[in-house]
Structure formats: structure tokens, C-alpha cells
Amino acid sequence: MTREAKPYHLESLEKRYPGWAVRSLYTGVNSFISIFLMAIIAYNTGAPFVFPSLGPTAFLLFYRPLAAASAPHNALVGHLIGILAGWFSLAVTGLLSVPPDLEKIDWQRILACAIALGLTCGLMPIFQAAHPPAGATTLIVSLGLLRTPDHLLIMMAAVFIIVLQGFIINRGAGLPYPTWRKHTKNASPDD
């Protein structure tokens, strides 16, 4: 049974108009909407629901929604790995309660960043959760920019919310966006 594309679905629009223009507009408008909604939540709660690695996550969700890196599993598990690796690196270097100072990076912070990124990049393939923005998330945590348990929970909540937005928007656009993982036969992890 084939699914019929509706005139407003992304696939139909890309057939009628230049694909690059449709994809550009789709990516830009939906990334704007997603981060705007996250910023409204941050504004109303006073909590850090917007942080730098959500930008590239939004880009992936809307520019390459069918790529494995954009699947909910990869985004959620990848960011979780990044957060936990960042927290672990702060714990083992004794920096959990040390505020960030980006102008005076000492050896403890250098080690924390290296541990966090190494763990994140090493664990994502093990858990089949490659999501490049998680590399930024782990650095945000290991640099101490967001480091309290409350902030780390808020970061995961923000990732969940933006992935939910991606799911709703991409499905609404008629894309077969996965519920959890990308399901393809013989696909490489980069698809």
C-alpha cells in the first residue's frame, strides 16, 4: 500500500518547486519555531531550556529528518550520553562545584573536557546513538556552563521536547519520520 502525498506535504512541495528552496524554507522555519518555543519555555520558567547544542539538533531534525542521526533514539540517547559523560568528567576532576571560567582554563578543566568528549564519542557508537550535537552538549557540561543536577534534567527535558516537536512537524509534513530508530536494511550508521 502506497501512501498518497498531500499537496502540502514536503514531498509534494519539492516536486512543484525547487527542492533546495523548499528544504531551506522547511529547515529555517521549523528550526525557528522549535527554538522559539524552547525560548518561551525558558522565559516562563527561568530554566535553561535553550543551550547551544539544541541548534544543531534542530538543524538535523529538519534538514536531514530521515538520517539515522536525526532519529529520536539517536538524539535522546546521544544527548544523554553527552550529559552523563560531562557530569562524570566534572566529578573525576573535582570540578562539580566549580563555576565556569572560559578565560582561565586550567589543567583540571582541560582534562574534564577531554574525558567528556572522549567518552561521548566512544559511547555513542556502542549504543548506536550517533548524534553529533551531543559532542557540544558534553562540552557545555564539562566546561561547567550547565552542571547542577537540576540543569542536567532540564537539558534532557529540552532535548525530549525538541525531538517531540521534530516528530510532530516531520510527520505532519508527510515524512516517514521514525518513532524511535531509523529502520532500514543494510544502512550505514551515517544514513
Side-chain angles (χ1 to χ4, degrees), residues 95 98-110 143:
L95 294 173
V98 177
D101 185 350
L102 299 179
E103 294 179 9
K104 295 179 184 172
I105 302 290
D106 60 13
W107 283 104
Q108 282 176 286
R109 193 67 73 184
I110 291 168
L143 285 168

Side-chain angles (χ1 to χ4, degrees), residues 73 77 81 118-130 181 189:
H73 169 268
V77 175
I81 290 168
L119 280 173
T120 300
C121 293
L123 291 172
M124 283 192 293
I126 290 170
F127 289 94
Q128 297 177 357
R181 286 184 188 246

Side-chain angles (χ1 to χ4, degrees), residues 38 48-49 51 54 75-84 137 149-163:
M38 298 306 295
F49 275 90
F51 48 92
L54 284 185
L76 292 166
V77 175
H79 280 289
L80 179 62
I81 290 168
I83 288 169
L84 294 175
T137 294
D150 288 347
H151 286 164
L152 303 183
L153 287 172
I154 289 165
M155 289 177 81
M156 274 313 299
V159 171
F160 176 80
I161 292 167
I162 205 163
V163 168

Side-chain angles (χ1 to χ4, degrees), residues 25-66:
L25 192 60
Y26 182 78
T27 303
V29 168
N30 290 315
S31 294
F32 171 89
I33 290 168
S34 290
I35 292 299
F36 183 82
L37 291 174
M38 298 306 295
I40 293 293
I41 294 170
Y43 176 80
N44 286 312
T45 64
F49 275 90
V50 177
F51 48 92
S53 52
L54 284 185
T57 293
F59 177 78
L60 280 174
L61 290 175
F62 301 113
Y63 183 69
R64 299 268 312 196
L66 303 181

